[in-house]
Amino acid sequence: DSTERARIDSSGRLLVGTNAARTAIGATGAPALQVEGLGASDAQISIVRNSDSAAGPYFAMAKTRGTSDGSNTIVQADDTLGTLYFTAADGADINQQSAFVRCQVDGTPGANDTPGRLTFATTADGGITPTERMRIDSSGRLLLGTTTATSSGGSNNAILSVAGNLSSATGEGQLNLWKKAAPAADNVLGQINF
């Protein structure tokens, strides 16, 4: 079979399943590795570890403030360590981000001390930019609708912080607990209004 399976283009990009690089995926630039296909078997990437141990495979993203390969220059607070983007075709291109998961430095780093946070963002219907919806900070706090953990009295030690106009009709916050996945009146375990 003489069908082309992979190509390294003149810019050094590895193209699998295509012979033309996409140059603006998720509006982040032209990735060095691009896999494109028409089905599950040719539009996926897998990492498999075969070992007689409990350990699994790894996918690592790393960031330095260095200016050359092999650098270990320390990062700074709020630096982005990695982002996983979800993009969709809108009829014109695949540059629009529908959602992302991002890791950032969450405090002042030092030798063997690199605090991190995960942020989860989604794009609203009619929107063009993802908005942060949830955060897990370096203290393990879960923040919904806010980027700052607060408790009554102004302390910042709450393990769960929920903020924002969660009920658009009244402009008040509301937290519902359900006993089943589908919301229905008979499934309500509890409700907190604020």
Side-chain angles (χ1 to χ4, degrees):
D1 187 352
S2 62
T3 304
E4 181 179 306
R5 304 296 182 187
R7 170 182 295 204
I8 298 176
D9 70 9
S10 60
S11 296
R13 295 178 290 238
L14 175 58
L15 312 176
V16 179
T18 183
N19 59 15
R22 293 185 183 256
T23 56
I25 297 175
T28 60
L33 168 63
Q34 297 185 30
V35 178
E36 192 156 335
L38 300 175
S41 64
D42 57 2
Q44 65 176 314
I45 298 172
S46 67
I47 303 172
V48 178
R49 177 177 177 163
N50 297 298
S51 62
D52 186 13
S53 71
Y58 301 94
F59 181 80
M61 293 188 224
K63 158 78 174 152
T64 79
R65 281 275 179 148
T67 58
S68 61
D69 289 345
S71 175
N72 288 314
T73 305
I74 193 168
V75 292
Q76 296 177 11
D78 298 319
D79 279 2
T80 297
L81 304 180
T83 304
L84 180 61
Y85 289 106
F86 300 89
T87 64
D90 62 2
D93 54 41
I94 57 172
N95 296 344
Q96 306 310 311
Q97 299 169 9
S98 296
F100 67 72
V101 179
R102 175 173 289 154
C103 179
Q104 292 175 292
V105 178
D106 193 35
T108 303
N112 299 313
D113 177 21
T114 53
R117 67 176 174 260
L118 286 177
T119 58
F120 299 81
T122 61
T123 300
D125 188 17
I128 59 171
T129 304
T131 300
E132 182 177 327
R133 309 297 185 177
M134 183 174 77
R135 173 182 294 202
I136 303 171
D137 71 10
S138 60
S139 297
R141 296 176 293 207
L142 177 61
L143 313 175
L144 300 171
T146 181
T147 59
T148 306
T150 56
S151 298
S152 60
S155 68
N156 65 351
N157 58 2
I159 195 72
L160 170 64
S161 291
V162 180
N165 292 335
L166 302 177
S167 173
S168 59
T170 63
E172 297 172 350
Q174 189 176 74
L175 179 62
N176 295 311
L177 303 174
W178 306 93
K179 63 182 176 183
K180 294 183 181 177
D186 62 338
N187 291 336
V188 176
L189 287 176
Q191 186 176 76
I192 301 170
N193 294 299
F194 48 95

